[in-house]
Amino acid sequence: MSSANWKEKLTDRIPPDQAREIDNFEAQMLLRKAGKIEEKVFAEVRLRRGTYGQRYDNGQRHDGIRTRALAYQPLTKGPETMWDAPGMQRIKIPFGGLNPDQMKLLAELAEEYSDNILHITTRQDIQLHFVHIEEVPTIFRRLAAAGITTKEACGNSVRNVTACPLAGICRTETFDVTPYAKATAYYLMGHPDTQQFGRKFKIAFSGCRHEACSLVSLHDLGGIAVTRQVDGKTQRGFELYVGGGLGAVPYQAKLMVEFLPEEELMPMARAIGRVFARLGEKKNRNRARLKFVVAKLGIDEFKRVVMEEYQSMPEDNSWRRYFDEIPRYDEQPAFAAVQLNGQKRPNGFEEWAATNVYEQRQSGYAAVTVTLPLGDLTSDQMRKLADIARKHAGDHLRTTVEQNILLRWVPHNRLINLYEDLKAIGLAQPGAGSIVDVVACPGTDTCKLGIAASRGLAAELRKRLATQMASMDQAIRSLRIKISGCFNSCGQHHIADIGFYGNSRNVGGYTVPHFQVMLGGKWTDNAGSYALAMGSVPSKRVPDLVTRLTDRYLADRQGEETFQSFCGRIGKKQLKGWVDEFVKVPAHAEDPAFYVDWGDPRAYTIGDMGTGECAGEVISLAQFGFTAAESQAFEAQLLLDDGEFQKADEMAYSAMLEAAKTLVRQQNPDTPTDTPTIVGEFRTRFVETQLFWDKYHGNQFANYLLNRHESPDTRYTKDTAHKLVEEANLFIDASHKCLAKLQASMNVLEVPVLPKV
Amino acid sequence: MDAYKLIVKIFVKDPPQLPADAFVPVFHSWIQNQLVADHLLIDVADYQLVHQGPGTVLVALEGNFSTDRADGRLGLQYNRKQPLAGSFADKLTAVLITTLEGCVRLEQEATLNGIRFGGDELVVRINDRLAAPNTKATFESIRGDLETLLAELYAGAPVELHHEPHAEKLLEVRIKSSQAVSTATLLERAKSLAALSAGN
Ligand code: SF4
């Protein structure tokens, strides 16, 4: 079914600016299909909308016997990424907030465009896999109509802003960080100052210092809610942390400001974004996160630079619009609180309630964690869960960084019925936040960078541990296991008690899947400290190693000692000794099972790894701007073909403005984007200076824009519209030439950096 | 009806005892041996931990096979992703043939403990809420094509069609024949029908 029909059907339900962005994406998709824009530019365009490549999209796969070419059509949608190959769509869920209507829509999308599975990520996003690129604009439109976006879900941008799923109902929070997370997410989304990063930028908000719900320490920017008394009044603010991150080189975020008043939060985030855009590495993606800037400058110098930026950056009061919404954020329970008294408790209820039910701050209410194995649920489960939520909890749900879903505001007297309803759809598994609730990134299942089967291992551990749960000591139960398919840490292995990340070793001429063992990471205190690497063990030995480690912990633990303290006391040497007992790989002839990975019977290979898209391409603002202009010119042509002459005229004009804006902002990135300013600046900077002057045509191309701006031809006939569409194309060509001239004269790099203010 | 995103599910009869991951190596071997005609086979995805989920999925560019366990009933499901030529009846016949070929192939797998599919029961869904909203009117619009196809498949034996309109679920028709027919016979008849249609 063509996306045009969904477009028509949803036209009144999508905010116009979003509709336009999606049209733009679709036009760029068509241009790429026609070979009219570069693959790397389109790659960044789609990554910024969360449309990722997936394993095997480079057109080859080892089938267990040989590497086989996958005969996709030759067109690509990015470097080494075939057009036809199904990919992953990430959907941004700021602070994990979802309502039942949105859940139902997500269920429909997974059913119609994916493989009927919704996957919750460690950043509270939702991912669909095996999605065809041609269906992506329709997915965007259907999401937008339900108030969901994928904008900047990937690429070098501000990623999903996370927050404690318990925010607002937590017994230990200072205040509810939800509205701050929401405001920051939407303020920075698409903000001009966040468009020129060399790498992704992650933000989290936490309601208190000592819990782990939002893991501030591992973020580029994190805020912990704090208050202070000023003139007898309580003032809200944030402890502001910067420069944290996991990956191959993990860094703990550093405290930059002890008390940042709430009204300074968004401008400060913007200033930090501007500094990151200016000083962050652009060429070497391995050194391009903010953590490297902070480490290089030191926190004091970094703070000084940010404060200077904060004081001197051009005014932008748009944050006010979001800030003013904060006091209005109000979550009300759907049902009155009634205590659970004397109701008969079904089998399994107590065990489930002990791990999955959290007593809210608000008396008589509980929050219920729905545990999802490996973060997955089916469309049918999602739809029914939406109904269950509405029946027992109301509209306020959250995804969690532990890949689960949280129902909030469940009155106590509904817990038993809720449990029964969840059980009926297979979602009443106990063990939330326990050792069974293993977190795993996609790994070799779908990720191009995956080295070992993180999900396969997680599934195996989950199965084994679930059978032992009933007899397990509480100390073991409360441990956390997190697994990544490679060192990039998407499974957050650094902050687990027992963490793993995939690697490989060569044994007797065969490649053998392994996992690096990481012990003693601290999950609490907002991910207070990171785990120690203890060496690699073969993938197939990991479950036995987990048993050994937990047995030793139980046997040698002193008092209420945490696993982290236990590891510290026992010491690295002893821990390594335990791990080393599991490093041996039997010869292939002796046990070939070691030469395949969990959940995948093919002979193991690392030959299927591809080029990751996590980092995206660093595309200059000018490339983006011109691509957007070209896609508008293309859309104008389509409108013209459809006989929509006035709309074609307007779109062609808009395309010229976009190109002019791109040029103007090359010279001054802070130029306001309203039409009179852009045209005025274009005239001053490019026409009067003759930078736009063409050797053969003089000011002819510039006049196309100036004439349309000053005296539009309002007859809107086929001829007038056709003329303007042609002119728009010529204007964009001339803009390209002008930029080349400008760059040559200034001898600047292709990737411009924001000027120091 | 111009929808092509058709789904057909055929149920396993008296499911044999099988390990949860039994289909994973089978689907991998289909890729190794390129056993599905006109399909670019890409990968195998395993969702065995998900309750009543798609089980093991063989992902292909043109459409996915899955050992679906929706409603607690194991079956082989084929989910068409790419356009097909011809009328709605032609498309449905083609999807049915692909599904039946998958069933017959699984029945021949030595590792699956003699798995058998029941030819007397089918589920047809249209995975496109825009083209085929789950209403009585949509059902009526495809009913004729379905009945003609089923009359051929079941050689005129009585067939019951069950459809329930639903605001949220995909359009789904449950088909039950009083005649017990093997999947191999159904496949043969479906292929004759396709050949006939191609000849016209
Ligand atoms: S940790 Fe590695 S394997 Fe896992 S999702 Fe991230 S990049 Fe992929």
Side-chain angles (χ1 to χ4, degrees):
Chain A
M1 181 51 50
S2 78
S3 70
N5 292 343
W6 273 112
K7 185 174 168 180
E8 247 164 58
K9 189 176 159 112
L10 299 175
T11 194
D12 298 335
R13 292 172 47 200
I14 305 178
D17 54 334
Q18 290 183 40
R20 187 165 173 158
E21 284 177 8
I22 299 168
D23 289 349
N24 216 329
F25 177 89
E26 191 167 38
Q28 296 192 19
M29 194 177 95
L30 295 173
L31 283 171
R32 175 63 207 141
K33 215 174 160 183
K36 292 195 174 147
I37 56 175
E38 275 183 73
E39 58 177 15
K40 71 172 185 175
V41 175
F42 182 65
E44 181 61 9
V45 165
R46 69 177 161 74
L47 288 170
R48 284 189 186 223
R49 304 234 42 134
T51 309
Y52 260 71
Q54 216 177 281
R55 208 164 174 91
Y56 313 122
D57 66 5
N58 57 357
Q60 68 169 50
R61 175 182 183 275
H62 196 273
D63 66 11
I65 298 171
R66 67 188 80 82
T67 293
R68 186 186 286 281
L70 300 172
Y72 295 117
Q73 60 165 308
L75 182 66
T76 58
K77 56 190 170 195
E80 295 171 46
T81 311
M82 308 311 291
W83 184 265
D84 279 352
M88 182 266 275
Q89 181 61 52
R90 181 174 295 155
I91 298 164
K92 239 178 173 180
I93 311 292
F95 64 88
L98 276 178
N99 65 43
D101 289 338
Q102 292 173 326
M103 290 164 73
K104 288 191 176 189
L105 186 262
L106 289 162
E108 290 184 2
L109 299 182
E111 206 166 33
E112 290 181 51
Y113 308 112
S114 175
D115 57 356
N116 213 14
I117 291 284
L118 297 120
H119 177 74
I120 313 289
T121 76
T122 54
R123 290 203 58 73
Q124 299 179 298
D125 294 300
I126 288 182
Q127 285 179 186
L128 306 179
H129 291 95
F130 304 107
V131 173
H132 292 264
I133 182 84
E134 314 266 359
E135 315 217 269
V136 162
T138 299
I139 294 176
F140 291 166
R141 290 192 177 103
R142 294 177 72 178
L143 286 169
I148 303 178
T149 184
T150 68
K151 187 169 175 175
E152 295 173 0
C154 179
N156 301 320
S157 56
V158 178
R159 303 290 185 86
N160 196 36
V161 176
T162 59
C164 314
L166 291 173
I169 57 173
C170 174
R171 298 192 302 268
T172 61
E173 73 184 1
T174 308
F175 56 81
D176 183 358
V177 295
T178 308
Y180 299 90
K182 186 176 176 186
T184 308
Y186 288 104
Y187 169 60
L188 294 180
M189 192 182 291
H191 193 286
D193 289 338
T194 63
Q195 302 307 299
Q196 194 61 2
F197 293 167
R199 199 77 162 84
K200 59 191 166 187
F201 190 85
K202 294 179 178 177
I203 302 178
F205 289 96
S206 218
C208 70
R209 277 188 204 107
H210 49 279
E211 289 297 336
C213 311
S214 188
L215 312 172
V216 158
S217 289
L218 52 87
H219 284 79
D220 295 282
L221 174 61
I224 293 179
V226 284
T227 54
R228 69 180 177 190
Q229 294 298 312
V230 178
D231 299 333
K233 281 195 186 144
T234 303
Q235 188 187 20
R236 285 180 167 193
F238 291 89
E239 258 177 15
L240 204 69
Y241 289 81
V242 291
L246 296 180
V249 191
Y251 282 72
Q252 286 276 335
K254 302 249 176 329
L255 180 61
M256 188 182 103
V257 184
E258 278 180 25
F259 189 94
L260 181 75
E262 57 177 345
E263 64 276 12
E264 291 179 30
L265 174 67
M266 283 179 270
M268 186 63 77
R270 177 183 165 221
I272 292 170
R274 287 173 67 90
V275 169
F276 179 46
R278 174 152 54 86
L279 301 182
E281 169 66 45
K282 295 288 193 305
K283 290 218 159 68
N284 177 1
R285 63 182 227 171
N286 296 323
R287 310 277 309 165
R289 292 285 296 274
L290 183 72
K291 61 188 178 185
F292 295 105
V293 179
V294 175
K296 190 170 162 196
L297 296 183
I299 186 66
D300 293 336
E301 174 62 8
F302 179 80
K303 182 175 175 179
R304 190 195 64 74
V305 174
V306 168
M307 295 318 261
E308 200 176 86
E309 185 76 45
Y310 184 83
Q311 300 301 337
S312 58
M313 64 190 178
E315 190 120 326
D316 164 28
N317 281 328
S318 61
W319 64 273
R320 273 260 155 223
R321 184 155 54 94
Y322 302 94
F323 185 75
D324 291 347
E325 285 296 312
I326 289 173
R328 287 195 271 277
Y329 184 83
D330 183 25
E331 217 177 276
Q332 287 298 322
F335 306 102
V338 181
Q339 294 299 331
L340 175 64
N341 276 332
Q343 283 170 264
K344 190 169 171 325
R345 291 159 196 229
N347 278 346
F349 175 80
E350 299 290 355
E351 192 196 348
W352 170 80
T355 50
N356 294 41
V357 175
Y358 172 89
E359 198 62 38
Q360 287 190 196
R361 181 175 77 235
Q362 297 83 359
S363 168
Y365 291 100
V368 169
T369 300
V370 178
T371 38
L372 307 174
L374 310 185
D376 291 345
L377 76 169
T378 65
S379 294
D380 200 42
Q381 283 178 315
M382 186 70 140
R383 216 169 2 248
K384 286 174 177 160
L385 184 59
D387 287 332
I388 291 171
R390 214 150 244 165
K391 184 171 159 195
H392 298 297
D395 270 0
H396 307 288
L397 294 98
R398 303 278 169 105
T399 55
T400 78
V401 297
E402 291 195 281
Q403 303 180 298
N404 294 321
I405 291 179
L406 188 79
L407 307 182
R408 300 148 58 100
W409 300 102
V410 183
H412 284 175
N413 68 327
R414 288 175 181 261
L415 282 170
I416 288 176
N417 289 342
L418 170 64
Y419 171 73
E420 300 276 25
D421 286 348
L422 290 175
K423 205 169 158 190
I425 60 168
L427 289 179
Q429 291 167 33
S434 76
I435 192 166
V436 183
D437 200 6
V438 182
V439 165
C441 76
T444 48
D445 280 17
T446 51
C447 175
K448 292 162 89 164
L449 293 174
I451 299 176
S454 40
R455 279 171 58 90
L457 175 60
E460 184 62 27
L461 288 174
R462 196 182 165 94
K463 267 191 277 179
R464 291 193 192 195
L465 293 164
T467 61
Q468 302 159 16
M469 261 302 259
S471 58
M472 208 179 262
D473 189 278
Q474 184 54 38
I476 305 295
R477 270 185 193 214
S478 54
L479 297 181
R480 280 181 161 86
I481 298 180
K482 294 176 188 289
I483 309 172
S484 303
C486 76
F487 57 76
N488 281 311
S489 320
C490 304
Q492 300 175 339
H493 56 260
H494 292 285
I495 54 162
D497 295 294
I498 304 176
F500 300 98
Y501 73 82
N503 57 24
S504 68
R505 295 284 182 270
N506 198 291
V507 180
Y510 292 92
T511 314
V512 182
H514 276 63
F515 279 93
Q516 171 69 238
V517 183
M518 308 287 296
L519 295 181
K522 196 172 180 189
W523 161 255
T524 50
D525 294 340
N526 276 291
S529 62
Y530 294 159
L532 293 171
M534 293 291 160
S536 287
V537 299
S539 182
K540 288 297 168 81
R541 291 214 195 267
V542 170
D544 291 342
L545 170 65
V546 169
T547 306
R548 170 62 56 89
L549 291 169
T550 52
D551 284 353
R552 295 309 306 228
Y553 175 48
L554 199 59
D556 300 345
R557 181 176 183 235
Q558 293 181 350
E560 292 302 296
E561 194 175 41
T562 63
F563 190 77
Q564 201 213 10
S565 309
F566 168 78
C567 290
R569 179 173 59 78
I570 290 288
K572 198 172 173 183
K573 200 169 160 209
Q574 175 69 75
L575 291 170
K576 178 107 177 71
W578 293 339
V579 171
D580 284 348
E581 290 170 32
F582 293 85
V583 296
K584 191 164 178 305
V585 180
H588 189 271
E590 199 184 317
D591 195 346
F594 275 75
Y595 298 78
V596 297
D597 210 343
W598 290 109
D600 188 342
R602 289 175 296 164
Y604 177 76
T605 173
I606 52 167
D608 283 339
M609 285 173 67
T611 310
E613 294 193 313
C614 301
E617 294 277 345
V618 178
I619 302 295
S620 68
L621 281 180
Q623 275 173 297
F624 267 129
F626 287 150
T627 305
E630 279 157 9
S631 70
Q632 287 179 23
F634 178 71
E635 256 184 85
Q637 181 64 52
L638 297 181
L639 289 164
L640 181 65
D641 294 346
D642 286 349
E644 302 260 22
F645 303 131
Q646 183 170 347
K647 283 186 184 165
D649 171 280
E650 285 159 2
M651 189 59 78
Y653 174 44
S654 171
M656 287 193 277
L657 284 171
E658 190 68 43
K661 182 176 88 184
T662 303
L663 288 176
V664 166
R665 296 195 115 209
Q666 281 295 294
Q667 292 203 335
N668 176 11
D670 293 318
T671 309
T673 55
D674 60 285
T675 300
T677 306
I678 290 296
V679 175
E681 288 286 306
F682 174 72
R683 189 193 296 279
T684 313
R685 291 173 182 272
F686 291 91
V687 183
E688 288 167 8
T689 57
Q690 298 212 332
L691 272 172
F692 210 79
W693 178 267
D694 183 276
K695 201 158 87 180
Y696 305 107
H697 301 94
N699 265 341
Q700 181 183 335
F701 303 129
N703 286 337
Y704 292 155
L705 171 66
L706 301 178
N707 292 341
R708 170 60 181 80
H709 178 68
E710 280 153 18
S711 46
D713 189 333
T714 53
R715 287 172 294 163
Y716 303 121
T717 64
K718 185 177 179 183
D719 288 344
T720 62
H722 181 251
K723 178 169 167 280
L724 203 74
V725 171
E726 293 292 322
E727 289 177 354
N729 282 312
L730 291 168
F731 183 85
I732 294 166
D733 281 347
S735 303
H736 274 288
K737 277 193 206 132
C738 175
L739 179 69
K741 219 166 32 177
L742 196 64
Q743 286 179 332
S745 70
M746 292 165 66
N747 195 19
V748 293
L749 292 171
E750 191 200 9
V751 180
V753 289
L754 299 179
K756 188 163 169 30
V757 182
Chain B
M1 172 62 59
D2 64 354
Y4 60 85
K5 290 186 168 182
L6 306 178
I7 296 175
V8 170
K9 180 173 177 181
I10 302 178
F11 295 99
V12 174
K13 250 203 154 43
D14 306 323
Q17 282 292 323
L18 288 170
D21 58 358
F23 295 98
V24 175
V26 172
F27 282 161
H28 276 289
S29 75
W30 288 16
I31 301 179
Q32 283 165 354
N33 300 306
Q34 297 290 294
L35 291 183
V36 186
D38 303 323
H39 281 67
L40 172 53
L41 303 177
I42 301 170
D43 198 18
V44 179
D46 187 22
Y47 298 112
Q48 56 176 289
L49 285 190
V50 179
H51 175 79
Q52 299 188 351
T56 306
V57 185
L58 172 59
V59 181
L61 178 61
E62 294 76 9
N64 296 347
F65 291 88
S66 57
T67 54
D68 186 76
R69 288 178 188 270
D71 301 324
R73 293 190 65 196
L74 177 63
L76 182 70
Q77 178 164 296
Y78 176 72
N79 183 347
R80 183 75 195 180
K81 298 272 181 183
Q82 297 292 335
L84 283 161
S87 64
F88 177 73
D90 293 335
K91 289 172 189 154
L92 183 55
T93 309
V95 168
L96 189 66
I97 288 172
T98 306
T99 319
L100 285 163
E101 283 175 338
C103 293
V104 169
R105 206 169 292 124
L106 288 177
E107 286 175 342
Q108 291 161 359
E109 287 288 345
T111 56
L112 296 179
N113 289 350
I115 197 168
R116 283 284 165 270
F117 288 85
D120 57 341
E121 197 179 354
L122 305 170
V123 173
V124 172
R125 291 192 197 96
I126 305 182
N127 194 10
D128 187 334
R129 286 176 171 80
L130 187 64
N134 189 357
T135 59
K136 196 162 181 300
T138 315
F139 172 58
E140 290 304 333
S141 75
I142 61 166
R143 187 183 194 129
D145 283 338
L146 262 178
E147 285 176 344
T148 309
L149 170 63
L150 295 170
E152 291 295 329
L153 278 185
Y154 292 103
V159 175
E160 273 174 34
L161 300 189
H162 181 74
H163 165 255
E164 263 179 42
H166 194 285
E168 291 169 356
K169 292 185 182 170
L170 293 174
L171 182 121
E172 174 183 287
V173 184
R174 295 194 164 252
I175 297 155
K176 181 92 182 118
S177 160
S178 56
Q179 193 188 72
V181 194
S182 73
T183 46
T185 307
L186 283 185
L187 176 58
E188 207 177 292
R189 290 175 185 166
K191 281 183 169 172
S192 317
L193 201 60
L196 207 64
S197 170
N200 284 339

